[in-house]
Each structure stands twice: as C-alpha cells, then as structure tokens.
Amino acid sequence: MIDTFLEWLRRACLFAASAALVFLVISFGWLVFGRYVLNATPTWVEQSALLLICYIVFLGAAVGVREETHIGVTLFRDVMPSTIQKVLIIFIDFALAAFGAAMLTAGIMLMQFGWDTKLPMLNIPESFRTLAITSCGGLIFLFAGARGLSRLLRFKSYVPEILQEDV
Amino acid sequence: MGLAILLGTFGLGIIIGAPVAFAMGIAAAAAFFYEGFPALITFQRATAGVSVFSLLAIPFFVFAGEIMLHGGIAKRLVRLASALVGHLKGGLAMVNIFSSMLFGGISGSAVADISALGSLLVPVMKERGYRPDFAVNVTVTSSIAGIVIPPSHNMIIFAVAAGGGISVSKLFLAGVVPGILMCVSLAIAAWIISIRHNYPAEPFPGWRVVGQAAMDAIPGFFTAVIIVGGTLSGVFTVTESGAFGALYAVLLTLFYYRSLSLDGFTRAVVGTVRTTAMVMILIAFASSFAYLLALYQVPAKLSDLLLTISENPIIILLMINVILLILGMIMDMAALILICTPIFLPIAKNLGMDPTQFGIMMLINLGLGLCTPPVGTCLFVGCAVGKIKLEQALKSIWPFYLAILAALILVTYVPGISLWLPSLYE
C-alpha cells in the first residue's frame, strides 16, 4: 500500500520534472525566435528557466533517491561481509531520510523568509524557488525513510543487490 | 577541527557508499553547524548553486544527445564513418573511433556514446570476427573523446567549478585538438592490434555511397555546428545555443528524418531529467562544499604541501595527474571536477599553467578514470553492451590506456595543443 503510493509519487515527480524540461526547451526556442525574428525578447524566459531548473533538479534528485541511481562509491562497502553491508545500507537510508527532514525544515524556513521577496519578471514570491528544495527534502524523507524501515523490518531476509547475483 | 569534520564526514560517507552529492551536503551542513552558522546555509547555497544561467546549458546538451540517440542521428553518423574509414585495416574499429569523434562531439557524454555506438557497432564487430574484448575496449576508450570534443557539458561544469572566470567558448576550442589527438592515438593502437590479429578491412563502398552517407548525416551533425558555432560567434550564449541545438535536433528527427517516435521522445526527456538531476544535485551541494574548502584554505595548504615535495612544475603537474588518476579510478567525473577544480586549479595557475589547458588536462584525466576499475562507468556499460566480463576486457585494454596516457602527457606538457586554436580565435 505504502509502496504503491511512493511509486505513484515517484512517477508524478518524474512527470512534473519532464514537463518542466519540455517547457524549458520550448520557452528557450521562443526566446531565440522572439529576439531574432520578432525583435522582442520575452524577458520572462530567463527567470522562469532559473525557476524551472530547480524543480527539474530537485524533483529529479528525489526520484534518484527512490530509484537509487545517484552516483556513489560502493567499492569499499561491497567487499565487506553481508551483514555489515546490510547495516550500512540501512544506515545510509536513515541518514538520507534525516538529511531530507533537515532539508524540508530548512526549506520551510527559507520559504518563510522569501515570501515577501518577488522573483524579477515573474512577480511571484521567491518562496516558489525554495519550494523545490523543500519538496525534495520531504520526498527524500519519505522515499529513503520508508525504504530504510522496510529493509530494517526484513533484515534477515533482505539481500543487498550486489549479493543477489550470488544467490 | 571544522576541516576535519568536513573531510571526515565526507570521507566516511564515501567509504560506506552514500551518494556523493548527499555526502557532500551532509558534510557541509555538519561543518557549517560546527562553525556556528545556521545549517540552512547549505540548502540556501544548494538552491543558489543550481539557479545559474550558464548551468542551464547542461540539460540542453544532454537533451540534444538523448534526441540524437533515440532519433536516429547516431545511426547516420556511424554510416558516414563506416563509408569514410571502414576500408582501413581493422575497419570497424576505425569506424568506431571516428563515430565517437562525430557523435561524442555532439552528445558530450561518454556513457551516451557507448550506449549509442556500442549497441550498434560491438555486435557487428563480433560478427565480423573481431574479438569481443577488442570491440568493447575500442568503444569504451574512444568514448572519452566526447568529453573533450565540444560541445561537452563537462566543460560547463568545469567552468562553473573554476568560479566562472573561464570562457566556455575558449574551452570548446581548446578541446578540439586534444580530442582529435586522442582519437588518432587510439586509432594507431587499434591499427597495430588489427594487424597483429589480422582483422579485416571493409570494402570501400565508392564515393557515391560516401556522398550519400554524408548528405544523410550532415543535417544531424549540424546540431553540433549550431551549438558550437552559436557560442563561438557570440550570436547566442552557451545556454541559448544548447537550447537551440536541442530544438533543432527534435525538429530534424521529427520532421526531416521522421525517425523520432513518441516513445523515443519520452525516453529522451526522462533520460535527460535523470542525468540532469544526477549531475546538478552534485553541483548544488558541491557549492557549499567548495565554499568551505576555500574558507579552510585547503587549496593554499595543499599547494604548500606539494611545493615541499618539489618546486619543479613538471613534477608537480605529474603529481596532480597521478592524484587525479587515482581519484578517477574510485569516483565519478562530475563529482571530481567539482571537488578537485577549486583545489588544483590555483596550484596550476601558480605554476603558470593556463586554466583552459588545465581544464582539458583534467577532463582527459578524469575521462580515463571512467574506463578504469574499480569504478569505471564507461567500462561497465561497455562490458554490458558487449556481453563480456570485466576481467576479459581488462586483459587487453592496456594499449588503449597507453594511447590515452600519451595524449594526456602531451596535453599536460605542451600548452600549444590545447591553446593553439583558442589563440587563433582571440
């Protein structure tokens, strides 16, 4: 049930980040067209792009946590005994969840600070930019926390991916 | 003590296998906390770190590469390379290297290069009697060319990590000759091996076929021309060039080649999101990490340390290269560019090295790291594509390592190789 919800959340994040990327590409096409063909540069493009990239990066990063695709050096861990590997993997999950929680808390504070500051050209609160890292924090907390908990609960039967080939 | 917390936390994170980006973020937050700063500075700097206009070029470059991969441009470039150099001894190896030069120059990603060209060429090479390890090794090592031949998103990362004082246009130009040099070195290595193993040459298809292949591939190759030409001419910024190049690739594959399906487009978009997020989250947290490294004067301390060993620039550059090679073996490229540039660039500058030359040297060096175990993304992808074991590839890869090392030494000690072309532009 929880896993289905988290999977739906992952897909929603990936869809939102993908839509933002498509909009980013189209808006830059419009910028070039406006500048050189219409002789009227759409000034909102640059600022909206700087806003959208935050969502692409931070939502994408949360998806990466769920999919476990972030760059990491597992070389040292992989040579350790399987029990230690399991402990370390679960520790990383909880460390990521704690970092996500810190990101969420800091993000909320940053959103509060930035509410009265407007993003130039877009005229929306600066908080919309920090909303990206805030959501990322919340999502990482959920994704990594749930995974860590699930692995901890089935500690005995859980086999790290690196060892699954040997099973 | 603060520095010990920063490096200790980061080192521990790396050893236990935590994602590098988050290891940097956690280490930076801990150091900020220790120094009495609010830890939220880490996240404020992370947001500011990705909201940089020039960094927007990264998703555009990656997207252009993905569209080429899924939209059939890569296939056309291989066909052109095959018509041009396939008749040489070890023809398909030459095709592989030449295709990397053409395709890598556009995608700027070694992994994209291997996925695109490896899946096309490795099975054909095996079928034509080439040893699987040879086919994989040629594909893997030639993919590094994509990192230095412009446009390359790694150059943008380097320019950002260097503090923004380096011209991306100059980096683009500086990468051309070293990229070609690397490909020539690899081609020589492949040629010698081909003679020893008597690998076949493909029949020359005739100039008519060469012409047809060129006509078919040139519109696709124009993606790179738009990106590099737009930036160099000053008509577009590097970000606008990237966006325009990506849009051009979409329109070309959709309406002219008619080879981009909805499924291919979706894959390209999702692939771009994944790669962009993976690379740029590193940049986000590296901005706090690099800020703290500067605060603790790590570059100056390391520079003093290296100078106590030797004051000879040749020796110091050799030591930097060895350190980068070792780090490249265990860590991924983008992370190392972000961590090592603020540390080693000031040292290189003190030795009188041009920052652009240093950048190209660093990219080749770390590129080689992508092909070396134990952490060699390109090597792993290549082995997966070629369906061989890592040990099998490693047994016969050393001539190609030597070829790249030769190019690296030349780029390190002969400034003209990387700086000649930019000097003409100035």
Side-chain angles (χ1 to χ4, degrees):
Chain A
M1 175 74 179
I2 293 172
D3 201 55
T4 313
F5 169 69
L6 293 178
E7 188 50 28
W8 177 85
L9 210 53
R10 181 194 70 85
R11 281 168 183 264
C13 290
L14 202 54
F15 178 79
S18 302
L21 177 79
V22 172
F23 184 79
L24 190 70
V25 175
I26 294 171
S27 68
F28 259 79
W30 178 245
L31 174 87
V32 173
F33 185 77
R35 179 181 299 167
Y36 293 101
V37 182
L38 306 177
N39 207 19
T41 308
T43 48
W44 54 269
V45 171
E46 197 173 307
Q47 283 304 321
S48 69
L50 290 175
L51 179 66
L52 286 174
I53 192 70
C54 289
Y55 285 91
I56 295 171
V57 172
F58 288 114
L59 290 180
V63 169
V65 168
R66 169 80 178 159
E67 295 175 346
E68 296 190 88
T69 50
H70 282 290
I71 298 165
V73 183
T74 56
L75 146 82
F76 304 109
R77 193 179 68 202
D78 293 346
V79 293
M80 292 178 188
S82 69
T83 311
I84 297 177
Q85 280 190 40
K86 288 201 269 187
V87 171
L88 289 178
I89 289 169
I90 293 167
F91 174 76
I92 290 168
D93 282 337
F94 286 125
L96 280 178
F99 188 63
M103 201 189 275
L104 174 68
T105 317
I108 291 170
M109 286 164 77
L110 288 170
M111 281 178 72
Q112 285 169 345
F113 293 147
W115 191 253
D116 295 326
T117 316
K118 303 281 183 203
L119 284 172
M121 302 297 170
L122 301 178
N123 216 24
I124 55 170
E126 166 75 28
S127 309
F128 278 96
R129 194 194 308 275
T130 34
L131 176 63
I133 198 166
T134 313
S135 332
C136 177
L139 289 162
I140 289 176
F141 174 73
L142 280 177
F143 290 150
R147 187 173 58 222
L149 207 59
S150 150
R151 282 171 173 167
L152 186 66
L153 290 175
R154 51 190 178 94
F155 188 80
K156 277 191 178 170
S157 60
Y158 164 59
V159 181
E161 283 70 16
I162 185 79
L163 299 174
Q164 281 180 8
E165 288 171 16
D166 304 334
V167 174
Chain B
M1 184 60 188
L3 179 62
I5 291 175
L6 181 76
L7 297 181
T9 312
F10 176 66
L12 184 71
I14 296 300
I15 288 170
I16 65 171
V20 179
F22 296 106
M24 280 198 283
I26 293 169
F32 275 129
F33 185 73
Y34 173 78
E35 295 295 347
F37 295 113
L40 69 83
I41 291 182
T42 311
F43 306 108
Q44 195 179 23
R45 288 196 69 88
T47 307
V50 292
S51 298
V52 178
F53 188 71
S54 58
L55 284 178
L56 290 171
I58 295 176
F60 294 141
F61 283 15
V62 175
F63 188 51
E66 289 278 347
I67 289 292
M68 292 180 70
L69 177 60
H70 297 289
I73 295 179
K75 273 183 196 167
R76 289 172 169 85
L77 291 174
V78 171
R79 216 174 292 150
L80 172 64
S82 178
L84 278 173
V85 295
H87 61 282
L88 300 174
K89 189 76 183 165
L92 287 178
M94 302 300 158
V95 171
N96 201 327
I97 295 166
F98 193 63
S99 302
S100 285
M101 212 162 91
L102 296 176
F103 178 73
I106 306 174
S107 80
S109 161
V111 175
D113 185 346
I114 296 171
S115 317
L117 304 180
S119 50
L120 283 175
L121 284 169
V122 172
V124 183
M125 285 178 81
K126 280 159 73 174
E127 207 178 282
R128 300 276 298 151
Y130 291 78
R131 280 169 54 155
D133 51 328
F134 175 75
V136 167
N137 289 335
V138 169
T139 311
V140 167
T141 49
S142 65
S143 70
I144 307 174
I147 294 165
V148 283
I149 293 181
S152 157
H153 68 260
N154 289 298
M155 288 178 178
I156 313 271
I157 300 175
F158 172 73
V160 170
I166 297 176
S167 150
V168 175
S169 307
K170 202 174 165 187
L171 276 170
F172 275 2
L173 284 172
V176 175
V177 179
I180 294 172
L181 179 72
M182 271 168 60
C183 288
V184 170
S185 315
L186 289 169
I188 293 171
W191 184 71
I192 293 170
I193 298 170
S194 298
I195 289 176
R196 282 191 61 187
H197 289 90
N198 200 23
Y199 290 139
E202 303 299 308
F204 182 64
W207 288 109
R208 191 184 153 84
V209 175
V210 172
Q212 279 171 346
M215 290 302 288
D216 199 29
I218 282 171
F221 190 69
F222 220 70
T223 312
V225 177
I226 287 173
I227 297 176
V228 179
T231 309
L232 294 182
S233 63
V235 174
F236 302 131
T237 62
V238 65
T239 307
E240 289 167 358
S241 300
F244 197 51
L247 258 180
Y248 170 80
V250 172
L251 295 175
L252 180 79
T253 49
L254 202 59
F255 297 114
Y256 182 72
Y257 287 150
R258 292 167 187 245
S259 49
L260 182 66
S261 61
L262 183 64
D263 181 51
F265 180 76
T266 312
R267 279 188 200 199
V269 171
V270 171
T272 306
V273 167
R274 284 198 173 104
T275 307
T276 303
M278 208 161 66
V279 170
M280 287 185 70
I281 196 72
L282 276 167
I283 296 175
F285 289 118
S287 67
S288 299
F289 195 79
Y291 173 82
L292 284 159
L293 286 179
L295 190 76
Y296 294 127
Q297 299 177 319
V298 174
K301 284 175 186 162
L302 196 69
S303 174
D304 290 345
L305 182 72
L306 287 178
L307 286 171
T308 57
I309 301 169
S310 170
E311 288 189 4
N312 186 338
I314 295 175
I315 303 288
I316 295 181
L317 286 176
L318 184 71
M319 284 193 292
I320 293 177
N321 266 316
V322 171
I323 295 170
L324 287 175
L325 276 173
I326 294 169
L327 290 174
M329 284 179 184
I330 54 170
M331 218 193 235
D332 208 72
M333 186 164 196
L336 281 176
I337 296 174
L338 292 160
I339 295 167
C340 294
T341 303
I343 297 174
F344 291 121
L345 183 61
I347 301 172
K349 274 185 187 170
N350 279 344
L351 297 174
M353 191 180 207
D354 190 286
T356 308
Q357 184 196 354
F358 175 80
I360 301 300
M361 179 195 93
M362 188 185 218
L363 292 180
I364 296 177
N365 191 315
L366 298 181
L368 184 56
L370 294 175
C371 308
T372 50
V375 181
T377 318
C378 288
L379 191 59
F380 297 157
V381 175
C383 288
V385 168
K387 296 184 181 76
I388 63 167
K389 289 198 166 186
L390 185 64
E391 301 86 307
Q392 210 179 334
L394 286 176
K395 269 183 195 166
S396 56
I397 201 169
W398 63 269
F400 299 102
Y401 282 161
L402 287 181
I404 295 169
L405 278 173
L408 175 63
I409 290 168
L410 283 171
V411 169
T412 305
Y413 295 113
V414 186
I417 291 174
S418 41
L419 299 179
W420 169 70
L421 210 53
S423 73
L424 295 181
Y425 178 68
E426 281 165 6

